[in-house]
């Protein structure tokens, strides 16, 4: 079993400069592969759809090493060769997924919107007292020690990334499978929502657990209000720096406007400061939400149930509701499911994913009556057949807890 860790780094100014060069090299290599691949595909169309329609990652990497690195792109020698190599592999993987119809068309990585990150060669990554030693990086101090590994084992897939404030080393390592724990034999049904993040029902003890939505707390709302205020400041700075607008016509789209700046944006230092303020607020909000999901899932797993039943929500479809899109995205439903699955696997707990069209909210948990006209604003479920009155989310959690006994249940 593999376990992931993310460790904060304490680099010197020279090391941080090398980090930025490595992240820039990775971004350039990723974009360069997409450009070469697009050119190969256009040549394939000109040939009448004959011959190869894409270029391989090995050909691009050899071209960079044998031609560009020795002539016009000698700055590639300043960083590890594995940084460029892995970035090209990642771009090649993205293109393959697109051609197979498993993902959308890969987009170019931009300097201001892409998270700076780069690969570290796992073979040369060595744990040291107070930090680690990386290829072309030297000794890097860390805020906490790297996990110890048995002799002959190595860390897997190490990456260094920047979150807007600190640099982190992310890696994974193999740990021995833990012994089977004694479970309670209960089944927990979990209903996710916006009013409360999770409503849980334990079938054996008939106990109810509710976990609040962190986005409804005073701290998060204060940060969101501050974010809106800082974004308005940024907008005013952009408007003050706008000389005029240029009309542009894109194929298949409406006529748009492109601002012509009085000064180039990279020279506007106050605008850079404002962007950093906004980025740090986004970072703070993301960390609060991620931490809350971790605490919630850990609390549920520590009850040691034998089974956990989760909803199979169509989050992408739910996001199309413009009135609820922001609340749904902030609740992090998919992240909740991802954490529950891997944490349950570590403790030997069975995870069952309910069918996407299973009417857990519309079904009466007492008599089984299906109320087809249930509306979203009906927060209390009143059964027309038996007269049972129960909280809507609790009713859904009870139905999910009983779901594993049905023939349609499937394990994640």
């Amino acid at each position: 079993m593999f376990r992931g860790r993310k460790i904060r780094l304490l680099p010197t100014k020279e090391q941080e400069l090398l980090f930025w060069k490595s992240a820039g090299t990775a971004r350039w290599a990723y974009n360069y592969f997409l450009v070469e691949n697009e050119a190969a595909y256009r040549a394939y169309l000109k040939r009448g759809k004959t011959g190869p329609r894409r270029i391989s990652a090995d050909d691009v990497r050899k071209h960079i090493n044998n031609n560009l690195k020795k002539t016009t792109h000698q700055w590639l020698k300043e960083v590890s060769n594995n940084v460029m190599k892995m970035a090209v592999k990642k771009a090649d993987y993205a293109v393959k997924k697109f051609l197979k119809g498993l993902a959308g068309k890969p987009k170019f990585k931009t300097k201001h919107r892409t998270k700076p990150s780069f690969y570290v060669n796992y073979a040369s990554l060595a744990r040291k007292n107070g930090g680690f030693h990386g290829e072309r990086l030297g000794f890097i101090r860390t805020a906490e020690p790297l996990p110890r590994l048995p002799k002959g084992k190595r860390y897997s897939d190490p990456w260094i990334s920047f979150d807007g404030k600190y640099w982190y080393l992310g890696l994974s390592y193999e740990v021995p499978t833990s012994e089977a724990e004694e479970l309670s034999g209960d089944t927990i049904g979990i209903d996710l929502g916006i009013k409360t993040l999770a409503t849980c029902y334990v079938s054996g003890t008939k106990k109810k657990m509710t976990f609040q939505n962190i986005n409804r707390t005073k701290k998060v709302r204060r940060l969101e209000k501050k974010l809106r205020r800082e974004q308005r400041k940024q907008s005013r700075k952009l408007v003050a720096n706008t000389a005029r607008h240029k009309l542009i016509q894109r194929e298949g789209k409406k006529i748009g406007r492109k601002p012509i700046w009085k000064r180039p944006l990279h020279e506007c230092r106050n605008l850079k400061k404002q962007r950093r303020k906004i980025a740090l607020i986004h970072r703070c909000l993301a960390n609060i939400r991620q931490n809350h999901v971790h605490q919630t899932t850990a609390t549920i797993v520590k009850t040691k149930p034998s089974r956990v039943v989760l909803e199979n929500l169509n989050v992408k479809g739910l996001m199309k509701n413009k009135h609820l899109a922001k609340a749904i995205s902030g609740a992090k439903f998919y992240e909740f499911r991802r954490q529950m699955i891997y944490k349950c696997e570590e403790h030997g707990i069975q995870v069952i994913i309910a069918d996407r069209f299973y009417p857990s909210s519309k079904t009466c948990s007492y008599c089984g009556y299906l109320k087809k006209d249930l509306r979203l604003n009906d927060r209390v479920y009143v059964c027309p057949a038996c007269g049972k009155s129960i909280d809507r989310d609790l009713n859904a959690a009870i139905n999910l807890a009983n779901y594993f006994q049905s023939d349609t249940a499937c394990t994640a």
Side-chain angles (χ1 to χ4, degrees), residues 245-250 253-259:
H245 288 86
K246 177 183 177 182
L247 297 179
I248 55 175
Q249 176 66 57
R250 296 193 180 115
K253 296 184 178 180
K254 296 181 180 179
I255 298 176
R257 296 197 311 166
K258 181 180 179 181

Side-chain angles (χ1 to χ4, degrees), residues 5-8 127-132 141-148 155 169 171 173:
R5 286 286 295 276
K6 197 173 182 182
I7 301 171
R8 182 186 161 192
R127 182 183 185 274
K128 301 291 183 180
N129 290 332
F132 70 95
R141 293 177 58 240
T142 57
E144 57 180 301
L146 272 67
R148 291 184 179 273
Y155 301 106
L169 171 67
L171 48 81
Y173 57 100

Side-chain angles (χ1 to χ4, degrees), residues 213-326:
N213 187 345
I214 196 67
N215 298 299
R216 299 168 69 92
T217 59
K218 185 177 180 180
K219 182 177 181 180
V220 173
R221 287 182 172 177
R222 184 171 63 247
L223 281 172
E224 289 178 341
K225 184 177 180 181
K226 183 179 179 181
L227 176 63
R228 292 192 296 268
R229 184 165 60 247
E230 298 298 335
Q231 286 174 335
R232 286 196 297 270
K233 290 182 182 179
Q234 182 187 21
S235 297
R236 287 194 291 268
K237 293 180 188 297
L238 289 171
V239 171
N241 192 43
T242 303
R244 57 188 176 85
H245 288 86
K246 177 183 177 182
L247 297 179
I248 55 175
Q249 176 66 57
R250 296 193 180 115
E251 184 178 355
K253 296 184 178 180
K254 296 181 180 179
I255 298 176
R257 296 197 311 166
K258 181 180 179 181
I260 305 299
W261 309 114
K262 297 177 182 178
R263 292 177 59 193
L265 294 184
H266 66 271
E267 296 180 2
C268 301
R269 298 180 64 182
N270 286 336
L271 187 58
K272 289 182 180 179
K273 294 177 184 178
Q274 192 64 29
R275 283 177 173 172
R276 176 167 172 77
K277 285 183 182 179
I278 294 173
L280 291 178
I281 297 174
H282 277 299
R283 174 185 177 274
C284 186
L285 286 169
N287 289 343
I288 290 173
R289 290 164 179 155
Q290 186 78 358
N291 179 65
H292 181 65
V293 174
H294 269 295
Q295 291 182 345
T296 301
T297 53
T299 303
I300 296 173
V301 172
K302 284 179 182 178
T303 60
K304 297 183 179 181
S306 295
R307 290 165 297 273
V308 171
V309 184
L310 299 172
E311 296 177 287
N312 188 12
L313 296 175
N314 181 15
V315 180
K316 187 176 181 179
L318 294 173
M319 291 285 288
K320 293 181 180 179
N321 187 336
K322 65 179 182 179
H323 303 289
L324 300 176
K326 182 181 177 182

Side-chain angles (χ1 to χ4, degrees), residues 21-35 60 63-65 68-69 72-73 75-76 84 87-88 108-109:
K21 289 182 179 180
S22 300
T25 300
R27 184 180 67 251
W28 172 86
Y30 186 95
N31 293 340
Y32 184 80
F33 178 84
L34 295 185
V35 171
V60 173
H63 175 69
I64 293 174
N65 283 329
L68 299 182
K69 199 171 184 179
T72 57
H73 293 66
W75 46 268
L76 290 170
M84 177 273 297
V88 171
F108 289 103
K109 292 189 175 183

Side-chain angles (χ1 to χ4, degrees), residues 6 9 16-28 83 109-120 159-170 276 279:
K6 197 173 182 182
L9 305 181
E16 189 171 7
L17 179 61
L18 185 58
F19 286 176
W20 284 113
K21 289 182 179 180
S22 300
T25 300
R27 184 180 67 251
W28 172 86
V83 173
K109 292 189 175 183
T110 62
K111 185 176 181 180
H112 299 290
R113 297 185 181 181
T114 304
K115 184 178 181 179
S117 63
F118 62 94
Y119 173 77
V120 182
W159 282 76
I160 291 179
S161 59
F162 184 69
D163 71 341
K165 189 174 183 179
Y166 301 121
W167 290 93
Y168 291 91
L169 171 67
R276 176 167 172 77

